[in-house]
Amino acid sequence: MRLGILGETRAWRDGGGEVPLGGPARRALLALLLVRPGEVVSADRLAEEIDPDGALSAHALQSQVSRLRTALGSAAVIERAGAGYRIVVPHDDVDACRFERLAREGRAALREGDAGRAVALLREALELWRGPALSDLSESETAQVAAVRLEEQRLAALEDRIEGELRLGGHRLLVPELRELVGRHPLRERLTGLLMRALFAEGGQAEALVVFEQTRRHLADELGADPSAELVTLHRELLSADPSPSPAAPPAQLTTFVGRAEEVAEVAELLWVARLVTLIGPGGVGKTRLSVEVAAVAADDVCFVELAALRDGAGLPQALLSAFGLRENGLHLEVGGQTPVDRLIAALSDRMLLLVLDNCEHLVEEVAMLAARLLAACPRLRVLASSREPLGIIGENLWHVRPLDDAAAVQLFTDRARAVRRAFAADPATVRRVCAALDDLPLAIELAAARLRTLDIDDLAERLHDQLGIAARGSRTADERHRTLRSVVAWSWDLLSEPEQRAAQRFTVFAGGATAEAARPVCGADGETLESLVDKSLLEVVGGRYRMLETIRAYGAERLDAAGERESARRAHVRHHLELVRTAEPHLRQAEQLEWLAALAAEHANLLAAVRWAVEAAQVETALQLLASASTYLWIRGTSASVAPQAIALLDAMVGDAPPAGLGEEYATCVLLAASGAAGRAVWQRHRSTAEKALAAAWSGAQPGRYPVGLLLWMMRNAGEADPQGAFALVSSQRDCSEPWVRAVAQYVSAFGRLRERDHAWAERTFAAAAEGFRAIGDRWGTALALDALAGLAAARDDHAEAIALTDEAITLTEQLGALEDSADLLVNRGDHLVGADLAAARADYAKAADLARRAGSSTYLAAALRGLGDIALLEQDLAAAERLYAEAVERIDPHWVKSLGNRARALAGLGVVAEARGDHAAARARYQEVAESATVIDAPTPEALRLLGLPESLVEAVSRL
């Protein structure tokens, strides 16, 4: 049995079913006994705490104890002890005790320097919390003291977890969470210090110093105290430190760089005069390491994209979007129109940046086409590529990466040998003979040097000679060098034990590296075997994740095929990641969503690989479950388009258009994912009706469906259709659902239905209830949606102060989610609320929104910002600027996306006003007619429909004159 007081007092059987405890008095009794399980609580104290008014007699207390015993059964024993009672239960069965143990172990691991283990333990501890501790005993003095103690431990564990994740390099996703925590606890100096460190790691040195100053003032005003010595020391370090490199920088290297210093300088110099440089050479010659070193000196702003994990060119634009930290779609589902490449061009159009594309050889045609397009459209962009063959496009400069010279090869071997045998010393001639046998290829040298842990240099030289059949020779062709490297990999492989070989070959199914938790079940290996592979240079550990060099992966994949285990390994890979997304999905709609978004983002490449394999292997049921379980993550992160091709292929592979038995909801979710891609419109039209019936069936019973986010997305996808009422009715029908998140969604959708019926007061109350519902469970995504709708209603009744306050709150939430596009959208909305009262502030919001949209590569959000700037130009009677801005906005806006209807209508109306001011009444009338046609998506083109599109009264009047 499991017992819980971290939230409402509850009990669960081992099988998962909840134990009915009875009324408030019985829950309070159990909670008081569980504060310190095993310790006696006097009967008088129990009676007083359960009923402070003194109405609970000793007999009544004994009766409550008896009923509680019956409810709990034999799994938890309540004993009479002297003048009181105690509960006898294993401490780990009580969530508070388990939390305290895990928090202690996590803190100990953090002190010992094991950040990965610490984070895992602390996450497990924090996940036990379901709400405020001992919430059933709000008036109990004993409970209040215990709750304060537990809440303090919870906050300390949260700080420990954040510190651990900072040590693992997770600063980017921690900044929004830390901002929120510091806002709630402005006097808690450890949180301030963690936020300062995270900001500094992101390159935000100035922001970190501002945070220190704000905390210093809070401490002085509230406590009359100065910051602690630790915080002051951190402040001094920040003042004297350089900002950290860009988050898109190349991976940090764990070993010394040997033998190519002049080459680095020459390639860096070449990049200043040539915008495309390709490093070419055989596998293992050191192209990747050279590109890393060149990037470090050639540019301040670098984006490093590792392409080895991509199986085909279809995922190339998405890989670049991910490397830039860009979402593929925003909060409101940008549909159709703009492609990922368009978004990349928008993001890079005026940015001075070095883009490093590593391991291009298997995608050389696709990389060449994309690089050519980006370079043509982005004049300040430079590209450094590495490949075994040229890209073959105009303007490409080739740099042939050669094997190391004799002296550098010997130095590299010696350095790596001393890493495994500190006292290594050998005859230079013998070392030279070994390096020559390896064709002076850096990767081959490193693999061979790793063997000195168990071999001496003479034995190594002899084995290499026997294995390769070569001695010191002169230069060879690239193909021969590649064969030499393959022989060294094979030789290293053959020296592995059978369990090590099996683990290494099964590891090749991972597309983006793996955590130890993922590698163990997929590879069928324990931690010791994996660490042994690291020791032998077959695996490496980067950022707490195992990864395998591509040359070794290619050889291991061949061995996996030869062993006939590829399907087994892939099934294990899919099984692990299906379980991961199933576990994560409910947390993505709760307060822990930032942590789980980060965890799934680290596995994004593996998730795509799992989906691709399941679809290619015609594992329809598995593929549908995987897509549906991952859909919440994909939509919140804005990466749903990355699986759209697989979703389309899966739908095409099904027999007929009917969903498989028992998988109707998964099928409907797959249809939504397929429709999120640029080629998904036809699929949507074919499957929409069947998918709606399947979704309705899944949510028509007493039990809620399995994938609640699909309901919200179904309404949003259907809102722009000719007849969206079925979608609205389906979602609105869930107002009494037992799932809190679904109830909030139903309220949100119901409010839109009432807006169509002109019942603004009811709609506003319902949007507010939805916002509170989302906020209560900690979902920032849903809360931002509801707040945006409330802000629009406030503006409609001319309460712009309220609209601005609501939009400010929504912007804070989208910033926490890292959603540049959504923040841009909300900034435009805030500019619209400000434009009548503070033109300068509105202009600043529109300009900032345009900047964010360009960085995010979002043409539609950029169009909205341009429309706002056009409004300002029109107010200032600058007709030429207004016309130019409105025309560019209309050109960029996707006319098929429901969210863009208002901005498109306002830009068209603005062009009409400009034409009218110039006396061109025919052109004005044509523009107003286009606005009226836009309004028919909402209703007849009445003034009310025009106002719902966001048109101000002056434009409503102009259009209504039709």
Side-chain angles (χ1 to χ4, degrees):
M1 178 171 287
R2 294 180 295 115
L3 301 157
I5 57 174
L6 300 180
E8 294 181 353
T9 305
R10 297 172 71 179
W12 303 268
R13 299 181 183 89
D14 289 339
E18 187 168 356
V19 177
L21 296 174
R26 224 166 300 154
R27 290 179 179 273
L29 171 62
L30 178 59
L32 288 167
L33 293 172
L34 289 175
V35 168
R36 296 193 181 278
E39 295 186 11
V40 176
V41 184
S42 71
D44 291 343
R45 170 58 64 90
L46 289 172
E48 179 183 348
E49 298 280 7
I50 293 171
D51 186 0
D53 297 331
L56 191 67
S57 65
H59 177 73
L61 175 62
Q62 186 176 5
S63 176
Q64 293 291 350
V65 169
S66 177
R67 293 176 182 177
L68 185 58
R69 283 175 176 147
T70 301
L72 297 177
S74 60
V77 178
I78 301 177
E79 298 178 342
R80 179 79 185 193
Y85 296 91
R86 67 182 173 196
I87 188 168
V88 180
V89 63
H91 274 51
D92 243 26
D93 287 357
V94 182
D95 59 1
C97 299
R98 182 172 174 78
F99 162 75
E100 290 179 300
R101 177 182 65 78
L102 290 168
R104 283 194 306 271
E105 292 176 2
R107 189 169 300 115
L110 194 62
R111 286 196 299 266
E112 294 166 3
D114 190 347
R117 180 169 179 269
V119 168
L121 288 166
L122 292 162
R123 279 181 176 169
E124 184 180 353
L126 292 165
E127 286 168 5
L128 294 169
W129 286 75
R130 296 166 288 106
L134 296 158
S135 57
D136 298 291
L137 290 168
S138 58
E139 298 181 5
S140 164
E141 181 180 345
T142 298
Q144 288 175 4
V145 172
V148 168
R149 173 178 60 82
L150 287 167
E151 291 288 351
E152 173 61 28
Q153 290 179 351
R154 180 188 193 182
L155 192 52
L158 187 59
E159 291 170 334
D160 288 338
R161 192 217 85 214
I162 292 172
E163 181 176 334
E165 291 183 350
L166 280 176
R167 294 185 189 181
L168 295 174
H171 50 272
R172 170 183 286 181
L173 292 167
L174 289 171
V175 168
E177 181 182 9
L178 281 165
R179 286 190 190 279
E180 180 185 7
L181 288 169
V182 169
R184 290 200 312 232
H185 307 280
L187 302 179
R188 197 165 180 102
E189 293 184 68
R190 187 181 179 195
L191 284 174
T192 297
L194 291 169
L195 176 56
M196 290 167 66
R197 292 182 187 279
L199 287 168
F200 179 72
E202 267 198 318
Q205 183 180 16
E207 292 180 81
L209 295 173
V210 169
V211 170
F212 172 83
E213 181 59 25
Q214 290 171 340
T215 300
R216 186 193 65 75
R217 289 178 180 173
H218 274 301
L219 290 168
D221 293 344
E222 299 293 329
L223 304 178
D226 294 324
S228 66
E230 292 80 5
L231 206 58
V232 171
T233 300
L234 177 58
H235 180 241
R236 289 200 196 101
E237 291 175 1
L238 290 174
L239 288 172
S240 60
D242 293 327
S244 66
S246 164
Q253 300 301 304
L254 306 179
T255 56
T256 56
F257 183 61
V258 175
R260 299 193 193 272
E262 292 184 5
E263 203 167 354
V264 168
E266 291 173 4
V267 176
E269 185 177 349
L270 179 59
L271 274 167
W272 281 107
V273 296
R275 295 180 56 217
L276 171 61
V277 175
T278 303
L279 307 177
I280 62 172
V285 79
K287 301 184 296 296
T288 296
R289 184 60 186 270
L290 180 59
S291 69
V292 169
E293 300 298 330
V294 169
V297 300
D300 294 326
D301 196 2
V302 178
C303 180
F304 190 94
V305 188
E306 169 57 64
L307 301 178
L310 289 182
R311 300 297 177 86
D312 56 60
L316 182 60
Q318 283 80 14
L320 267 66
L321 284 174
S322 297
F324 282 106
L326 302 178
R327 299 178 358 143
E328 291 164 16
N329 50 267
L331 190 65
H332 296 282
L333 283 182
E334 190 171 342
V335 178
Q338 195 180 34
T339 67
V341 177
D342 294 329
R343 292 170 52 75
L344 284 169
I345 290 172
L348 299 174
S349 58
D350 60 353
R351 185 170 175 180
M352 180 177 288
L353 177 130
L354 174 62
L355 176 61
V356 182
L357 301 175
D358 189 41
N359 284 317
C360 301
E361 52 273 350
H362 61 307
L363 304 171
V364 66
E365 291 185 8
E366 293 88 347
V367 171
M369 293 176 61
L370 180 58
R373 185 170 175 188
L374 291 177
L375 288 166
C378 309
R380 305 178 75 191
L381 177 69
R382 290 172 291 152
V383 175
L384 176 63
S386 72
S387 177
R388 295 181 189 176
E389 60 179 291
L391 301 185
I393 59 178
I394 296 174
E396 181 182 24
N397 283 254
L398 300 180
W399 186 277
H400 292 269
V401 183
R402 311 290 184 186
L404 296 172
D405 61 37
D406 293 359
V410 170
Q411 182 185 348
L412 177 64
F413 185 93
T414 303
D415 283 359
R416 301 304 187 258
R418 286 175 178 165
V420 298
R421 182 180 289 184
R422 298 187 64 84
F424 173 77
D427 175 19
T430 304
V431 175
R432 178 68 209 120
R433 183 159 60 92
V434 168
C435 294
L438 300 171
D439 279 337
D440 296 323
L441 291 170
L443 179 57
I445 289 172
E446 296 198 14
L447 287 171
R451 290 300 168 197
L452 291 179
R453 179 186 297 273
T454 56
L455 300 174
D456 61 39
I457 184 68
D458 293 323
D459 192 17
L460 175 66
E462 182 179 351
R463 292 192 182 204
L464 280 174
H465 186 280
D466 293 342
Q467 176 74 17
L468 303 179
I470 55 176
R473 303 182 188 177
S475 63
R476 301 175 175 215
T477 67
D479 286 343
E480 287 172 335
R481 288 194 185 101
H482 189 214
R483 286 198 294 270
T484 298
L485 175 61
R486 178 181 174 83
S487 297
V488 175
V489 173
W491 174 67
S492 297
W493 195 281
D494 290 341
L495 292 176
L496 299 175
S497 67
E498 184 176 342
E500 289 170 342
Q501 287 184 358
R502 185 170 186 268
Q505 64 195 29
R506 290 176 70 89
F507 188 89
T508 62
V509 299
F510 285 103
T515 62
E517 290 76 15
R520 285 194 293 266
V522 174
C523 298
D526 56 22
E528 184 177 344
T529 300
L530 295 172
E531 289 305 313
S532 179
L533 291 173
V534 174
D535 289 342
K536 295 171 182 177
S537 298
L538 274 298
L539 292 179
E540 58 183 0
V541 179
V542 179
R545 295 174 66 85
Y546 292 109
R547 66 188 294 264
M548 181 177 278
L549 294 177
E550 190 58 24
T551 304
I552 299 171
R553 177 199 296 276
Y555 182 84
E558 291 179 11
R559 296 295 297 263
L560 184 66
D561 286 335
E565 287 200 47
R566 177 166 296 278
E567 184 173 345
S568 168
R570 279 180 164 174
R571 285 183 181 277
H573 180 270
V574 170
R575 190 162 52 246
H576 171 81
H577 288 94
L578 176 56
E579 185 60 33
L580 174 65
V581 290
R582 278 176 169 168
T583 302
E585 197 280 332
H587 298 285
L588 294 173
R589 294 177 278 109
Q590 298 173 9
E592 319 91 87
Q593 65 184 172
L594 294 181
E595 303 167 28
W596 283 93
L597 282 172
L600 292 182
E603 300 297 338
H604 187 75
N606 279 312
L607 287 172
L608 295 185
V611 170
R612 183 172 53 247
W613 178 81
V615 173
E616 291 173 352
Q619 299 290 323
V620 174
E621 181 176 344
T622 299
L624 284 173
Q625 291 173 341
L626 188 56
L627 284 168
S629 299
S631 61
T632 303
Y633 156 73
L634 293 167
W635 271 307
I636 293 179
R637 290 286 296 181
T639 57
S640 59
S642 63
V643 299
Q646 283 73 40
I648 292 171
L650 183 61
L651 291 170
D652 289 343
M654 292 181 186
V655 179
D657 292 340
L663 296 173
E665 193 176 0
E666 287 83 352
Y667 160 79
T669 307
C670 183
V671 172
L672 282 167
L673 287 167
S676 67
R681 188 68 183 173
V683 176
W684 172 250
Q685 293 296 344
R686 193 177 90 206
H687 290 272
R688 179 192 170 205
S689 177
T690 306
E692 183 164 17
K693 292 176 184 176
L695 195 64
W699 287 87
S700 60
Q703 295 298 318
R706 294 182 293 274
Y707 309 103
V709 171
L711 278 177
L712 175 59
L713 274 297
W714 190 260
M715 184 280 296
M716 295 174 73
R717 181 67 67 190
N718 277 274
E721 297 294 329
D723 180 19
Q725 295 305 316
F728 277 92
L730 168 62
V731 185
S732 300
S733 67
Q734 301 299 316
R735 285 190 294 268
D736 297 324
C737 180
S738 60
E739 169 66 53
W741 193 87
V742 176
R743 290 200 301 272
V745 166
Q747 291 172 318
Y748 174 73
V749 173
S750 299
F752 277 112
R754 285 300 182 96
L755 273 182
R756 289 173 175 267
E757 299 169 8
R758 312 288 192 267
D759 191 345
H760 288 200
W762 193 95
E764 187 162 15
R765 289 194 302 273
T766 309
F767 277 134
E772 285 307 308
F774 287 126
R775 190 183 284 112
I777 56 177
D779 176 28
R780 299 158 181 81
W781 191 52
T783 306
L785 280 172
L787 290 174
D788 187 27
L790 283 169
L793 286 176
R797 63 170 187 273
D798 292 328
D799 189 349
H800 294 288
E802 176 69 7
I804 291 167
L806 291 165
T807 307
D808 285 344
E809 187 178 352
I811 289 172
T812 299
L813 296 173
T814 58
E815 287 176 344
Q816 291 171 8
L817 289 168
L820 294 180
E821 308 98 318
D822 304 330
S823 296
D825 183 34
L826 290 165
L827 283 166
V828 170
N829 293 347
R830 190 169 69 183
D832 292 344
H833 305 324
L834 285 166
V835 74
D838 190 341
L839 210 59
R843 191 196 309 274
D845 274 350
Y846 293 140
K848 184 176 180 181
D851 179 61
L852 286 179
R854 287 191 181 97
R855 285 168 53 195
S858 174
S859 179
T860 298
Y861 289 117
L862 176 57
L866 295 174
R867 188 274 307 159
L869 292 170
D871 290 348
I872 291 179
L874 190 60
L875 287 171
E876 295 175 340
Q877 297 299 306
D878 187 346
L879 297 183
E883 185 175 35
R884 174 178 54 80
L885 290 163
Y886 285 141
E888 186 176 354
V890 170
E891 182 182 351
R892 289 177 176 274
I893 285 175
D894 174 12
H896 302 294
W897 181 38
V898 67
K899 178 64 177 174
S900 66
L901 290 176
N903 283 310
R904 184 171 184 272
R906 292 182 67 165
L908 289 169
L911 287 171
V913 172
V914 171
E916 200 167 5
R918 289 177 171 163
D920 190 347
H921 299 292
R925 183 176 180 83
R927 292 299 190 183
Y928 294 152
Q929 184 64 45
E930 289 183 84
V931 176
E933 291 170 358
S934 297
T936 60
V937 174
I938 295 177
D939 205 340
T942 61
E944 181 65 24
L946 295 171
R947 292 186 186 99
L948 283 176
L949 285 175
L951 267 67
E953 285 301 318
S954 59
L955 295 181
V956 170
E957 181 182 347
V959 177
S960 297
R961 288 202 299 268
L962 290 171

